[in-house]
Amino acid sequence: MADSASDPAARAQALREQLDYHNHRYYVLDDPDISDAEYDRLLSELEQIETAHPALQTAWSPTQRVGTKPLSEFAPAQHLEPMRSLANAFDPATLSDFDRRVRETLDIKAVEYVAEPKLDGLSINLRYEHGRLVCAATRGDGEVGEEITANARTIRSVPLTLRTDIPPQQVEVRGEVVIRRAEFDALNQRRLARDEKPFANPRNAAAGSLRQLDSRITAKRPLTLFVFGVGYSTDALPATHAGVLEQLGDWGFLINERVERVDGVQGCMAYHDALIARRDALDYEIDGAVYKVNDRSAWSTLGSTARAPRWALAHKLPAREATTQVQKIVPSVGRTGVVTPVANLEPVEVGGVSVSRATLHNIDEVHRKDVREGDTVMVRRAGDVIPEVVSVVESQRPAGLTPWSMPAQCPVCGADVVRVDDEAAHRCMGGLYCPAQRMGALIHFVSRQAMDIDGLGDKLIAQLVDSERVATAVDLYHLSEVDLLGLERMGEKSAHNLIAAIADSRQTTLPRFLYALGIAQVGEVTARSLAMHFGSLQAVMEASDDDLLAVPDIGPVVSESIQGFFAQSHNREVIAGLLAAGITWPQPQSPKKADQGVLAGKTFVLTGALSEWTRDEAKAAIESLGGKVSSSVSKRTDYLVAGEDPGSKHDRAVSLGVPVLDEAGLRELLSQPAP
Ligand code: IVH
């Protein structure tokens, strides 16, 4: 091996070859055989040699992939052979016509095609002379494009030199530059984090990145080149298109993995259908299939129109994006009370179906995209995903449109719509009453940890709501057996049992009742803390922010949610209705001071992971009953609560004879009746 001190030129050359080899394994074969760190070490050794010996620097060195100083404008670049477009087919009939014309012109019975995905990116022309990349250009008008060589060099799947000992004198390689979907998402995340506008789609991102005057920016973008053919060559090429692609692969280019040889119209159709089925699983965007006559000697016989060759056809897939107008933006209330802005659209066909509504997710998205009623927008529908508004076509915005804002009242029930601190979502505060939330609220209300009404499942609740027998939880307590008998699969015995179960649930506890109300952010543990701290429902309902913040595990977000809930007159009416229907719990529960709780004087240590609670929740629950939580086990510890993987505290507790509780044991201890 050449040593850099004695023969820097040889060492530099050896390093370049190694780096090119590893680069190819990583970016083209997707099969690296050294670590990133090792690669970086080789690269930095090469950089050092090139810095020390400027005469050894070349444009084809792997060190040149980081970009160079910005251009003031792009130079024009004439293609040696024009870059034509493709004729399009949108239906099988056009494909059949194409195939028939090919057969007739060539006077053959059956045609072998190469079928390829039509990649949705930007085409590029790469000219290599004696195996070295000398010019890269965009398509431009097909004859003359823009020279973007510095940018192309930064793309790792673009070989700077061809991997062959006998390169053609001059060759133009053509392909599509794309950004893979996962990399696109990550790129947009990074942009959002820096307060930059995200790209509307991978194609726009690829186009914006490739046409950068500053190649150092291009270098930071995750561009990938798939090549699909040769434009011009001084040297003879293989006789078939499949052979040419294989040759290009050998030279170090990335060929799309879905390229296939197919026979006739049937083969093309089958390929097209399979491609549609796989569309969502591909990690790059495609907008069709391309069929090319495999036998290249037939290409000159078939010839070209000014626009497109007669030996190839693009079979388009239904577009997944379309532009249309936003008629109105309406807040839509979901089952959990989250209010989502939805755009009502002028119906438009996207991905093969008509779309008239698209989600805008939340108010931040509306403002970030600045979508207004009356705007023209780009809509996307991918797979089974809900259609979404991607971006506004600003150039088409009529004068006088005003920014959209979330209404202050729920469009369904009129309760306040509140955005709780830290949350992206707005919520309707009318949880107990809002018709949009009925199902969700009732399912929660009857659940085991809440009012525990046995035999009242989701399907039955849906029937009760749909038949308008039940609108709020109050109505449950006024149902009779006769009311139930009209329902599907409801016999006398089950009706009787259900009414009995509803009646039984009247006798409950304050924590259960508070939990059953379904106040956002109030889970079982918080409900218990509230009950213990305030002692009565009335006191909880009247609690001020300061009062609430004094409860162990309640912070500003939870406090705001509780106050917002009880501020709604409809919610208060439902609560009054429930009490009037006979719901009771052991009363009055006088407020518990810490030293009066059932766990007063007891010291707990928590260790390991609990499955149902966070550490803080468990701590708050223990403290709300007067217990203390300490961090280390000693003789004075009363209980060790051990979750998953408890570790050394557990061993110590066992050796000191401290009782060890599991999660169920703790739960049992906490549910002891008050003294
Ligand atoms: S062949 C003369 N093959 O589609 C034939 N093009 O509408 C040249 N494209 O400008 C094109 N995937 O940017 C070919 N597998 C593929 C392709 C493909 C995407 C693009 C290319 C071209 C445009 C024509």
Side-chain angles (χ1 to χ4, degrees), residues 86-95 98 272 289 291 313-317:
L86 289 166
N88 287 322
F90 293 92
D91 50 36
T94 317
L95 166 60
F98 164 78
H272 172 264
Y291 314 124
L313 182 74
H315 193 175
K316 300 296 281 265
L317 303 185

Side-chain angles (χ1 to χ4, degrees), residues 86-113:
L86 289 166
N88 287 322
F90 293 92
D91 50 36
T94 317
L95 166 60
S96 295
D97 285 351
F98 164 78
D99 176 66
R100 185 172 34 76
R101 245 179 295 118
V102 172
R103 279 186 284 113
E104 284 171 6
T105 313
L106 300 178
D107 195 19
I108 52 175
K109 286 226 160 51
V111 189
E112 182 179 68
Y113 295 101

Side-chain angles (χ1 to χ4, degrees), residues 82-88 116-124 139 174-176 227-229 241 259 287 289-290 292 307-309 311-312 314 316:
M83 288 178 82
R84 281 183 238 281
S85 188
L86 289 166
N88 287 322
E116 307 172 5
K118 185 166 192 297
L119 303 156
D120 195 10
L122 217 75
S123 52
I124 191 172
R139 179 170 184 278
R174 298 201 172 152
E176 197 84 352
V227 301
F228 50 65
H241 179 58
V259 174
D287 57 352
V290 184
K292 298 172 183 171
R307 212 183 76 86
W311 43 263
K316 300 296 281 265

